[in-house]
Amino acid sequence: MRQAGTYSGILSGGISGRTGPHLLPLARIKKIMKKSGDDVKMISGEAPIVFSKACELFIEELTQRSWMVTMQGKRRTLNKEDVASAVAATDIFDFLLNLVSESDRSGVDATDHPLEMDALIRS
Amino acid sequence: MSDKIGINFDREGHKYNFAGAGAGVSGEDGIIKEQDRLLPIANVGRIMKQILPPNAKISKEAKETMQECVSEFISFVTGEASDKCHKEKRKTVNGDDICWALATLGFDNYAEQLKRYLHRYREQEGERANNNQSRAPPAGDFNEETSNYRGELLMRSAEIPSTPLKFNGGVDGRSNTSSLSRPF
């Protein structure tokens, strides 16, 4: 299936499948990096390794902040609205604002509700 | 016997979903792209779980949202790093560029930890290169070496707390640069 390449063995978690400190697949990280722009042509071997740690830190921070919202709501299940709140409350996560608000609006957009509009027109 | 048991190619194609699908994915092309552009939900979920208290639960949607956020994070930082390389007429984005981009974009505390991590990694790589010249380790040893080397790398570089919920400081429990104590 997958060929042994740069990211197998020592870098991706060992042939035995033990993940150790590398919790994220390096080849996938590299793919995502490449998709970020046309001018991303060459990526050094160490860049995905740095990113795997950076992503861990990122996930940890966003998760912790989201959990604080969950706790404020006296709940024990972290949901996506908690993540959205944490993003909104953190300046450095501004680049995520569109992303989390899009996922919130995957259903009906409340401002478009026809009944409400009718009520407004009639009043 | 002409019934197609087990084959279910409807118009929407297979909804594997193990990579976490966004809303409105249809067609095999769309699904393949979803898998490519997101980190695996199991890995993401594991990292989330590890930082939370043992009784915490995480909704599937929250994990999916996190997947999307991480990919966006990677794109965002890579874009910045790539711009820098472009301006400096360099072709290859390296670890230093990532660290620089992180610091530029406001992730100073990550940048500091990662610089040390990168430094360690480069040292280890140098040592490994020297060791490999003298001997080739057998497969069993290779795994041992792997986990020790990376274990050491982790221990000696970033001081990332293993206990969950250190809210008194930033991610690394030391600095107060990320204001976790700021009220929402």
Side-chain angles (χ1 to χ4, degrees):
Chain A
M1 301 233 274
R2 275 193 202 156
Q3 291 177 334
T6 320
Y7 298 129
S8 68
I10 202 170
L11 298 178
S12 70
I15 295 156
S16 67
R18 248 180 297 166
T19 48
H22 273 165
L23 296 170
L24 298 165
L26 299 175
R28 188 77 63 87
I29 291 175
K30 187 172 177 184
K31 244 184 228 176
I32 299 170
M33 287 178 75
K34 290 211 148 180
K35 286 193 180 197
S36 70
D38 285 335
D39 52 346
V40 182
K41 295 211 164 57
M42 299 197 60
I43 299 172
S44 83
E46 58 186 22
I49 287 172
V50 173
F51 254 127
S52 88
K53 181 53 71 181
C55 289
E56 226 178 286
L57 298 176
F58 171 80
I59 292 170
E60 287 175 349
E61 180 169 6
L62 184 49
T63 301
Q64 285 177 315
R65 288 173 178 273
S66 305
W67 180 248
M68 286 167 72
V69 182
T70 313
M71 286 202 297
Q72 282 178 346
K74 298 197 181 8
R75 289 174 282 108
R76 281 309 195 187
T77 302
L78 196 159
N79 60 35
K80 74 172 187 201
E81 286 76 24
D82 299 332
V83 179
S85 297
V87 163
T90 313
D91 286 344
I92 55 171
F93 292 155
D94 278 355
F95 70 97
L96 295 170
L97 281 170
N98 285 339
L99 191 65
V100 295
S101 61
E102 268 168 25
S103 64
D104 267 352
R105 267 193 275 116
S106 60
V108 175
D109 189 341
T111 59
D112 270 338
H113 201 273
L115 284 175
E116 260 181 48
M117 287 302 291
D118 283 344
L120 281 171
I121 290 164
R122 286 197 201 110
S123 63
Chain B
M1 216 171 67
S2 61
D3 43 329
K4 295 174 184 165
I5 299 165
I7 300 171
N8 195 16
F9 288 103
D10 58 31
R11 235 170 273 124
E12 287 163 317
H14 290 288
K15 289 199 180 254
Y16 290 112
N17 227 19
F18 54 80
V25 171
S26 63
E28 285 184 348
D29 276 355
I31 288 170
I32 289 167
K33 280 179 193 143
E34 289 289 323
Q35 291 173 3
D36 269 356
R37 69 172 188 87
L38 299 175
L39 294 176
I41 198 169
N43 303 48
V44 172
R46 202 176 306 133
I47 298 172
M48 292 175 80
K49 196 164 135 67
Q50 281 174 0
I51 203 74
L52 293 176
N55 63 343
K57 290 187 168 53
I58 307 168
S59 80
K60 181 158 174 273
E61 280 182 331
K63 289 185 209 175
E64 288 170 351
T65 301
M66 187 63 73
Q67 279 180 296
E68 299 272 356
C69 289
V70 181
S71 290
E72 194 67 23
F73 172 69
I74 294 173
S75 294
F76 185 50
V77 176
T78 302
E80 197 70 19
S82 165
D83 280 350
K84 178 179 203 268
C85 288
H86 200 66
K87 281 187 188 120
E88 296 175 4
K89 306 233 190 310
R90 283 184 291 115
K91 287 188 190 156
T92 308
V93 178
N94 63 33
D96 290 319
D97 298 323
I98 306 297
C99 290
W100 177 88
L102 285 166
T104 299
L105 295 169
F107 299 95
D108 307 63
N109 51 340
Y110 299 7
E112 286 311 306
Q113 293 176 67
L114 290 170
K115 274 183 202 154
R116 291 194 294 273
Y117 187 74
L118 185 55
H119 184 68
R120 280 281 153 241
Y121 167 75
R122 284 171 174 164
E123 272 184 356
Q124 300 275 3
E125 279 294 287
E127 278 172 25
R128 240 172 29 87
N130 288 335
N131 285 342
N132 282 344
Q133 281 169 8
S134 48
R135 69 180 178 100
D141 278 358
F142 192 61
N143 288 336
E144 290 279 302
E145 205 175 54
T146 301
S147 53
N148 283 345
Y149 139 56
R150 282 187 283 103
E152 198 187 358
L153 196 68
L154 184 68
M155 301 274 270
R156 287 162 61 187
S157 63
E159 289 101 42
I160 297 167
S162 54
T163 55
L165 290 185
K166 293 254 176 175
F167 287 142
N168 289 332
V171 172
D172 63 359
R174 288 183 298 116
S175 68
N176 261 317
T177 50
S178 57
S179 34
L180 279 176
S181 55
R182 186 175 64 192
F184 285 104

